[in-house]
Amino acid sequence: MTRKSKKSSGHTPLTYYEMHTKFKSAQYGTTTQRLSTDSQLPFGCCALSLSPADEIDPVATPSGHIYDRESILTYLVTKTAELKQQHIEYMSQRKREAERTSKQKKEQQNDALVVFENLHKASSASAAIQKKRKTSEHEDKEAKKM
């Protein structure tokens, strides 16, 4: 039995149909489309400012990216200011939400109090009516006895 890698088509995972019709528009697996020189930085350019790094104080990362120290500091200062502003906005949003929830809780407590008072008034009114009935019945009994 021969190995598949020895065949001329053994290295491709796609069939002839998939390569020539299905993925032809996407140019799957071709080398006809390459990146231009515009998409790559020239050597010695800062990755942040996209301009040539100063000869005085360039900084290189272990992965090989080159930065200008001034660009790094400018970036850090602006990002710090943005993050502070976002934090202030976030805290004000949380404060508004807390005020809204406390307002809703107070409204619910007031509604519960009103319901309780209405029930209490109704029960006290019915109790007063029953008390009047009892007193009138008691007076009627006393009047009959005399």
Side-chain angles (χ1 to χ4, degrees):
M1 179 184 216
T2 61
R3 293 185 351 204
K4 187 170 181 169
S5 63
K6 295 287 183 180
K7 294 182 182 179
S8 63
S9 64
H11 65 282
T12 179
L14 302 175
T15 63
Y16 178 83
Y17 167 76
E18 291 171 334
M19 283 191 305
H20 291 288
T21 57
K22 194 172 184 182
F23 295 112
K24 188 172 184 172
S25 63
Q27 297 186 3
Y28 180 82
T30 64
T31 58
T32 57
Q33 191 175 10
R34 297 282 185 188
L35 295 176
S36 66
T37 57
D38 294 336
S39 64
Q40 298 175 357
L41 284 175
F43 181 75
C45 285
C46 175
L48 287 173
S49 64
L50 305 177
S51 62
D54 288 339
E55 295 178 8
I56 299 170
D57 204 12
V59 178
T61 62
S63 62
H65 293 89
I66 298 172
Y67 297 99
D68 186 21
R69 190 175 300 270
E70 182 181 344
S71 298
I72 291 174
L73 294 176
T74 305
Y75 175 78
L76 290 175
V77 167
T78 56
K79 271 299 178 185
T80 303
E82 286 177 14
L83 290 174
K84 284 182 182 178
Q85 182 63 31
Q86 288 175 355
H87 181 70
I88 290 169
E89 291 172 1
Y90 173 72
M91 294 307 286
S92 66
Q93 178 184 2
R94 285 195 56 187
K95 184 178 178 183
R96 286 192 306 267
E97 288 175 2
E99 289 173 354
R100 187 178 69 233
T101 55
S102 66
K103 185 178 179 182
Q104 288 175 349
K105 284 182 182 179
K106 285 181 182 178
E107 288 176 1
Q108 289 175 351
Q109 288 175 350
N110 288 339
D111 292 343
L113 184 61
V114 168
V115 168
F116 176 76
E117 287 175 350
N118 289 341
L119 289 175
H120 184 66
K121 285 180 183 177
S123 64
S124 63
S126 64
I129 291 172
Q130 288 177 359
K131 189 175 183 181
K132 286 181 182 179
R133 284 184 189 165
K134 285 182 181 179
T135 55
S136 64
E137 288 175 2
H138 183 65
E139 290 173 355
D140 289 340
K141 286 181 183 178
E142 287 180 9
K144 287 182 182 178
K145 285 182 184 179
M146 293 190 184

